[in-house]
Amino acid sequence: MSSGGDFEGKSGKRKSKAKVSTTGKKAKITSRENGIQQDDASRSGAEIAENDQTETALPPAFSISEIKNKQRRQLMFMKLKLEKRKERLAAKKKRKKEREALGDKAPPKPVPKTIENQRVYDETVVDPTDEEVAFDESTDEFSSYFNRLTTPKVLITTSDRPRGRRGKDPTEHIPEVILNNFSTRLGHIVGRMFAALFPHDPQFVGRQVATFHNQRDYIFFRYHRYIFKNEKRVALQELGPRFTLKLRSLQKGTFDSKYGEYEWVHKRHEMDTSRRKFHL
């Protein structure tokens, strides 16, 4: 009996030891699994961070158009656009601080590149004080007007039911005429033709201005009245009409579609070889 009891006691101890050992193994396994899960989580977090960084930091040779997914492509484009905008604003703030720190010693602001100031050199650009140009203008078709020998008679008609935007009603005062950016020889002729449409001696009491502005060979016409708000501030009030002109041809003398002598004809395929080349 005693021996049997001892055996049972020993076996019970052995069983209890075996249980302890198995639970210890389970605890080690679970701890290892937790460690593996933590490592995977840290790796996945690092990978996500790397992916977030590489989403916007693309290689130089990579193009967004290569992304097949449309939504992903739009998202990448918006992120790159936002980053470039932030860089521009940061550079602008930095330059502003530098200019404020330097004060009067700050360098002049750089002139932005536009199509107008990057214009292709034209040999026909003339100086208004040139003697040859002055002689040509004294003998052209508009010389009688500029010598005050004739007075133009122009009738401007209006409609009872005007379309679109309508300004204030103009007065009967003779307006001032402003010709802007007619720099070539052809531009001088066109500008003189527009100036000859209006009578001499503008009446400054009416405060009305007719402007012909040439920009990239498009002639914009505007009719304004300037208003003095105080001694320092002046405002413009558009009277209308407004329109845009494009020179197609220029004839000598009066217009004649059949026997007219053309001085200049716009040939689009031959003349418009560059976006930075203008004729007026």
Side-chain angles (χ1 to χ4, degrees):
M1 295 292 293
S2 62
S3 62
D6 294 337
F7 182 78
E8 286 178 359
K10 291 179 181 178
S11 63
K13 290 180 181 179
R14 288 177 184 174
K15 288 179 180 179
S16 63
K17 288 181 181 179
K19 288 180 181 179
V20 172
S21 63
T22 53
T23 53
K25 289 180 181 179
K26 287 181 180 179
K28 290 180 181 179
I29 292 169
T30 52
S31 62
R32 288 177 184 176
E33 288 177 354
N34 291 330
I36 292 169
Q37 289 177 358
Q38 290 177 359
D39 293 338
D40 292 338
S42 61
R43 288 177 185 175
S44 61
E47 288 176 357
I48 291 169
E50 290 178 358
N51 291 332
D52 290 337
Q53 292 178 357
T54 55
E55 277 181 356
T56 53
L58 298 174
F62 182 78
S63 177
I64 298 178
S65 59
E66 297 178 5
I67 300 175
K68 303 298 182 182
N69 191 330
K70 183 179 179 180
Q71 295 179 351
R72 186 70 174 174
R73 186 168 62 246
Q74 290 178 350
L75 180 63
M76 293 294 295
F77 175 76
M78 294 301 295
K79 285 186 177 181
L80 287 175
K81 190 175 180 181
L82 184 62
E83 282 191 358
K84 288 181 180 180
R85 185 173 181 274
K86 289 181 179 179
E87 290 176 359
R88 287 196 301 269
L89 291 176
K92 187 177 180 180
K93 289 181 180 179
K94 184 179 179 182
R95 289 195 301 267
K96 186 177 180 181
K97 289 182 179 179
E98 290 177 354
R99 293 184 64 84
E100 290 177 355
L102 293 174
D104 296 335
K105 297 181 181 180
K109 292 183 178 180
V111 180
K113 291 184 179 180
T114 60
I115 296 180
E116 284 81 7
N117 59 25
Q118 298 295 316
R119 177 178 181 172
V120 176
Y121 175 73
D122 193 346
E123 296 178 353
T124 62
V125 174
V126 295
D127 185 5
T129 60
D130 190 2
E131 295 180 358
E132 184 179 353
V133 175
F135 176 77
D136 292 341
E137 291 180 350
S138 63
T139 57
D140 63 1
E141 298 89 344
F142 311 108
S143 59
S144 59
Y145 166 81
F146 287 98
N147 293 329
R148 296 177 177 269
L149 301 176
T150 59
T151 301
K153 297 179 180 180
V154 180
L155 176 64
I156 299 177
T157 61
T158 59
S159 175
D160 294 334
R161 297 178 180 178
R163 293 182 178 181
R165 183 175 176 272
R166 184 187 177 191
K168 300 293 183 179
D169 294 329
T171 60
E172 296 181 357
H173 297 90
I174 299 174
E176 306 172 51
V177 181
I178 297 177
L179 304 172
N180 188 23
N181 203 21
F182 294 92
S183 56
T184 63
R185 189 70 186 92
L186 179 64
H188 271 257
I189 297 173
V190 175
R192 286 170 64 84
M193 179 183 67
F194 288 133
L197 296 175
F198 295 86
H200 302 283
D201 301 327
Q203 297 173 347
F204 299 101
V205 179
R207 296 175 283 109
Q208 297 179 155
V209 182
T211 305
F212 292 91
H213 174 71
N214 172 42
Q215 185 174 357
R216 305 179 189 179
D217 286 347
Y218 287 93
I219 303 169
F220 299 91
F221 176 79
R222 298 292 184 270
Y223 199 65
H224 291 93
R225 177 190 291 125
Y226 51 90
I227 302 171
F228 296 100
K229 292 189 173 182
N230 50 40
E231 295 180 354
K232 296 182 178 180
R233 294 184 59 189
V234 180
L236 288 177
Q237 183 184 55
E238 187 171 357
L239 304 176
R242 56 158 63 183
F243 51 85
T244 305
L245 303 174
K246 177 77 172 178
L247 184 63
R248 298 299 181 188
S249 62
L250 181 67
Q251 281 191 7
K252 190 174 182 179
T254 57
F255 178 73
D256 187 355
S257 60
K258 195 172 183 180
Y259 302 105
E261 181 184 353
Y262 286 90
E263 293 186 6
W264 184 85
V265 179
H266 180 243
K267 298 178 180 178
R268 185 167 59 90
H269 297 289
E270 297 180 9
M271 297 180 176
D272 297 345
T273 56
S274 175
R275 292 183 60 198
R276 296 184 293 109
K277 185 177 181 181
F278 310 113
H279 306 287
L280 297 180

